[in-house]
Amino acid sequence: MDQIRITGGQKLNGTISISGAKNAALPLMIASLLTRETLTLANLPRLADVAMLKRILTNHGVDHSVDGKRIGQDVLTGETVHFTAREIVDNTAPYDLVARMRASFWVIGPLLARTGFAKVSLPGGCAIGTRPVDFFIDALRKLGAEIEIEAGYVIAKAPSGGLHGGRIRFPKVTVGATHVAMMAASLAHGETIIENAAREPEVEDLAACLNKMGAKITGAGTPTIIIEGVRELYGARHAVLPDRIESGTYAFAVAMTGGDVLLEGARENLIDKPIEILRKIGAEVTITNEGVRVSRNGHGLAPVHVVTEPFPGFPTDLQAQLMALVCRADGVSTIRETIFENRFMHVQELARLGADITLDGQVATVTGVPRLKGAPVMATDLRASVGLVIAALVAEGDTMVNRVYHLDRGFERLEEKLGRCGADIERIAA
Ligand code: EPZ
């Protein structure tokens, strides 16, 4: 397994191009199952999770062709990929694939809506929590689906006349189940109302794409989404929105090391809350036509108190990165994780670098320390691993991050993007 070696102490200066959002690309790719025509997605990030989902979609009968393009010398835009599900050849999503990437469970919505049948493996838990699918099952039942769970699979059948509209109210904000309910309801007979819907920008991006395909969705981005079902969806072309978690991650990295970096393509409205926190900590954030510029020159880092919340609150996917940053703050910070029950695995790894963090249930108390020292650390989940990278960028000496396949799931060419801004970082192929 590849490792990444980082020698701390270098400031970051220059430009980082922000890739298309992983968490928008995945539901958009799954939406291609809803039509026999071609869905063209531009600005797809080159990530392990995107490659894995391409494989899964191929199983169901989706053909895809790529015509990525190069702009300038070495700045690759994301890929432009054409997805065509002329017919669904297999309605089953097997355990060995779904278990590796939870989002593949979301194919249940389009498979059910398009063909009336879906057999999808339960995704199982993962490092950050049990991550059940009860909200998905309740939502699909509200659209008329008959659902049973058998031998680790969710087996869903639509009524003979197809799915019908319904009233869905989520007990807790859920991004995935909001995506799935929207996709299934797009082809149901009649009107569906989703209440307490997720307001993440990726939900809005999916709704915008579905509407280009002929769906009739209003209210995406608000807590109430209304879908008027249509008989068929058609091909369309859609560009994936920039990755707000990647943007926030590199913004925290610059705040940590000091320096001045333009996050090219980042959009302020996708990272309002992280920008507010960054300014409180002491970074300077300037909005420009090209993106978001982050700098910190000289003065120290102030402690903060943050609670993770659904959008537009502070995102749980930036929690580990924030924790790494405040390890070097002048004072005591607190971070309360409210979305997942076990998203503090990075704590013991940060402690190996000299961080002073105590946990009490869902609250981490971080007492800033004057320095961190490099050490071998282990990546445990996608976002925890990049938190370790941020800490390593200022740790004295070498840090070796192991199991970097976690990083490759969500960060495109991380060592290249940081290395071009001055970080002393290299990937060591196993
Ligand atoms: C999406 O996961 C993201 N993944 C996650 O990013 C992100 O952390 C999460 O939303 C929250 O913003 C993708 O978009 C691919 P949820 P999702 O359904 O949809 C509970 C990353 O690092 N829940 O919003 O799976 C669940 O256990 C990943 O890119 C139920 O109880 O998350 C969690 O506590 C990590 N029953 C909470 O709701 C259900 O049926 C929010 O989960 C569904 C969810």
Side-chain angles (χ1 to χ4, degrees):
M1 284 183 256
D2 288 6
Q3 297 171 307
I4 284 186
R5 185 226 16 104
I6 297 167
T7 305
Q10 307 300 323
K11 287 180 184 277
L12 295 176
N13 289 287
T15 297
I16 292 179
S17 65
I18 297 302
S19 304
K22 168 179 84 79
N23 291 353
L26 300 179
L28 289 168
M29 288 164 69
I30 290 170
S32 67
L33 291 167
L34 289 164
T35 174
R36 70 186 68 250
E37 297 187 0
T38 298
L39 175 60
T40 297
L41 296 175
N43 197 32
L44 272 179
R46 290 175 176 75
L47 295 170
D49 273 13
V50 170
M52 165 64 84
L53 185 56
K54 281 182 192 168
R55 260 186 61 201
I56 291 169
L57 292 176
T58 305
N59 270 357
H60 295 303
V62 176
D63 294 325
H64 59 269
S65 63
V66 183
D67 58 42
K69 57 184 187 295
R70 294 185 71 79
I71 288 187
Q73 290 311 309
D74 57 358
V75 173
L76 269 183
T77 63
E79 282 183 323
T80 295
V81 183
H82 310 278
F83 295 88
T84 312
R86 225 175 310 285
E87 58 171 301
I88 304 295
V89 299
D90 185 340
N91 292 53
T92 300
Y95 175 66
D96 63 315
L97 293 177
V98 175
R100 274 190 272 173
M101 188 182 64
R102 176 183 168 81
S104 47
F105 178 79
W106 302 350
V107 300
I108 191 167
L111 290 179
L112 185 62
R114 173 114 180 249
T115 70
F117 178 74
K119 182 179 175 186
V120 179
S121 166
L122 282 165
C126 69
I128 61 179
T130 50
R131 303 182 78 178
V133 293
D134 48 332
F135 302 160
F136 294 80
I137 291 172
D138 296 347
L140 294 174
R141 280 184 172 141
K142 293 277 175 35
L143 301 182
E146 255 179 60
I147 297 200
E148 37 185 277
I149 295 183
E150 216 175 275
Y153 279 79
V154 178
I155 298 167
K157 293 189 189 85
S160 52
L163 296 175
H164 56 66
R167 194 176 192 89
I168 297 165
R169 175 168 177 67
F170 288 122
K172 188 175 174 186
V173 170
T174 161
V175 172
T178 300
H179 287 322
V180 166
M182 244 181 2
M183 288 191 278
S186 295
L187 287 177
H189 301 280
E191 178 181 77
T192 295
I193 299 177
I194 304 175
E195 293 178 301
N196 199 25
R199 299 167 55 190
E200 270 65 8
E202 293 75 27
V203 169
E204 273 191 270
D205 207 37
L206 177 63
C209 180
L210 290 170
N211 283 339
K212 287 180 188 174
M213 295 166 69
K216 294 196 173 92
I217 302 172
T218 53
T222 78
T224 304
I225 300 176
I226 298 174
I227 302 111
E228 191 55 48
V230 294
R231 277 178 43 75
E232 195 172 351
L233 291 175
Y234 304 96
R237 180 184 177 83
H238 186 77
V240 179
L241 92 171
D243 194 320
R244 61 193 172 96
I245 303 304
E246 188 191 25
S247 304
T249 296
Y250 289 124
F252 282 122
V254 186
M256 182 67 138
T257 62
D260 188 338
V261 170
L262 169 66
L263 303 176
E264 190 180 42
R267 284 193 204 146
E268 178 194 14
N269 67 317
L270 302 180
I271 48 172
D272 264 338
K273 196 67 181 173
I275 288 175
E276 177 196 317
I277 299 299
L278 273 167
R279 286 175 169 150
K280 275 190 187 154
I281 291 176
E284 272 166 64
V285 181
T286 320
I287 310 309
T288 76
N289 291 337
E290 296 79 30
V292 177
R293 187 167 158 196
V294 183
S295 63
R296 181 170 71 85
N297 290 306
H299 49 76
L301 297 168
V304 286
H305 304 285
V306 175
V307 180
T308 64
E309 294 170 303
F311 193 87
F314 188 88
T316 174
D317 292 350
L318 283 176
Q319 181 254 100
Q321 297 91 318
L322 171 66
M323 190 181 292
L325 177 57
V326 295
C327 285
R328 293 276 291 103
D330 306 325
V332 179
S333 303
T334 56
I335 299 174
R336 175 185 293 275
E337 170 59 54
T338 69
I339 308 294
F340 291 107
E341 67 264 29
N342 183 30
R343 204 170 196 178
F344 283 139
M345 267 87 53
H346 40 285
V347 168
Q348 73 259 25
E349 297 304 312
L350 288 169
R352 291 174 51 76
L353 300 174
D356 179 355
I357 307 168
T358 53
L359 287 183
D360 177 8
Q362 291 298 91
V363 179
T365 301
V366 185
T367 304
V369 292
R371 67 182 56 76
L372 295 173
K373 284 182 73 55
V377 288
M378 184 75 72
T380 47
D381 78 80
L382 164 59
R383 308 303 180 181
S385 49
V386 84
L388 300 175
V389 169
I390 290 174
L393 288 171
V394 295
E396 289 166 6
D398 288 358
T399 296
M400 195 66 85
V401 182
N402 295 294
R403 297 192 182 175
V404 291
Y405 57 83
H406 288 294
L407 272 173
D408 297 337
R409 293 190 55 184
F411 295 96
E412 189 177 353
R413 298 177 292 126
L414 172 128
E415 67 274 10
E416 203 178 301
K417 293 186 177 185
L418 285 173
R420 289 178 48 202
C421 287
D424 184 349
I425 182 171
E426 72 169 326
R427 177 183 287 259
I428 300 166

